[in-house]
Amino acid sequence: MIRYNYSLKRHNTFGIAARARRFISLESAEEAKAIIKKENFNTDNCLVLGGGSNILFTGDYGGTIIKPFFNKITIERKSSDNVIISAEAGLEWDKLVEWTVENDLGGLENLSFIPGNVGAAPIQNIGAYGAEVSNLITRIHALSLENGENRVFHNEECMFGYRDSIFKNELKSKYLITSVEFRLKKSPVTFNLSYGKLEPGGEMTLYGIRKAVIKVRKEKLPDPAVKGNAGSFFKNPVINMHSYADLKMRYHDMPSWRTGTGHYKIPAAWLIEKAGWKGKKAGRAGVDHKHALILVNLGNAKGTEILELSNSITDSVRSKFGITLEKEVNII
Ligand code: EPU
C-alpha cells in the first residue's frame, strides 16, 4: 500500500512526529521485488525502515520510505545438533527470540527483548549480554534497491564488527534485506553467562536465561512506549593503550574491557555520567536518569532537540576525556 504525507510517529521508538512524503508497506518479498523493479529507486532518496528503534528523524522525509511487513519463520534444515531457520525481515525481533526459546533452539536467548525487526538486526549487528547476532547468522537474502535483483550474502561477506556491518558502510542504503538465516543449537545444555549481571538462578534453561535478560533490560532501560528512546545513543568507544593508561591515571574508577586487539572499550554511559549529563534535560529532550547512554523524548520533542543534546554531550565528553563518541543511532 502506498500512502502520502504519512506520519512516522508510530514508526520510530523516539516517537518523533515526522512525516514521509511517500510510505510504501510491503506485504511479501515478491511484492517488494516487483515494486523495486518498477520504481528503480534512487537510493539517495529511499529509506528502508525496520522497527524504527535505531533511528532519529530530524525533520520530514522528502523521499520514499519502504517498510517490510512480511514476517514468516521457516525451518530450513536440521542436523543432529543444529537447526537452520530463516526469518523474514518484518518480523518483530523479540517474537523471533520467543519462538526459538519455545522451540528449544539455543543462540538468540541473550538477545531477548531488543526492540526492532529481524531485517535490521544484521545491519548494526545487534548485541547484548555477551552475545552478538553475527555469531548466529549464516546467510542474508536481500534485494538490490537499484534493480530489484536478489543477492545472498554469506556471513563472511557481511564484514560484521561491533555494531557494524557492510550494510552500514559500502552497501549503506543499497539493499533491502528480505530474510535472515540463523544456525541455532538443538536443546542446548550450556549457556552464555559471560555478562556477570545475568542471574538465571536455578533456571538454567533457555526460558530461564530469557527471563533473566528481560528482567535486567526492564530494570535498566526505559520502555520506549512510555518514554521515547532508541536504546544506546552512542557506541562504547574503543581507545588505544596509551590513551587508556593516561585516563586510568586520572580516573582510577574508570571501567573498561580489554578487546582482542589490545585496545580498551570504555562504557560511554560512564563517560557521559562522569561529565555530569545523567538525568539532565534540555527542553523536551533528556538523558535518562537510570542509564546515561539513553537519550529520551520527554514529550513532543523535535528530532533536532535530541540531536542538539547529543552534540552537546559529544563536545563535553571530548573536552573532558579527549574521546569522540560515535553515534549508534541513524540520524535522518
Ligand atoms: N554505566 C554508568 N552509568 C550509567 C549506566 C552504566 O557509568 O548510567 C557504566 C557501568 O560501569 C556499567 C557500564 O557502564 O557497568 C556498562 O553498562 P551496561 O551494562 O548497561 O551496558 P552498556 O555498555 O551501556 C551495552 C550495549 C547495550 C546492551 C548492553 C548489555 C552498546 C552501545 N550498548 O550497553 O545495547 O544492551 O551493553 O549487554 O554496546 C543498544 O545497542 O541499543 C543497547 C541497548
Side-chain angles (χ1 to χ4, degrees), residues 234-282:
F234 300 99
K235 291 191 195 182
N236 287 330
V238 176
I239 59 175
N240 64 32
M241 214 164 62
H242 297 296
S243 316
Y244 169 76
D246 230 38
L247 284 172
K248 194 70 184 172
M249 292 256 285
R250 283 160 54 203
Y251 303 99
H252 298 291
D253 60 335
M254 181 177 76
S256 61
W257 298 271
R258 222 189 132 117
T259 69
T261 54
H263 290 68
Y264 289 83
K265 199 185 253 189
I266 314 293
W270 184 87
L271 298 168
I272 296 169
E273 178 169 349
K274 204 74 180 174
W277 288 97
K278 193 167 179 171
K280 282 274 157 65
K281 294 177 184 168

Side-chain angles (χ1 to χ4, degrees), residues 56-75:
L56 178 65
F57 289 105
T58 55
D60 291 340
Y61 190 74
T64 301
I65 291 187
I66 53 180
K67 175 162 169 154
F69 282 88
F70 37 101
N71 58 8
K72 278 203 302 287
I73 301 174
T74 310
I75 295 176

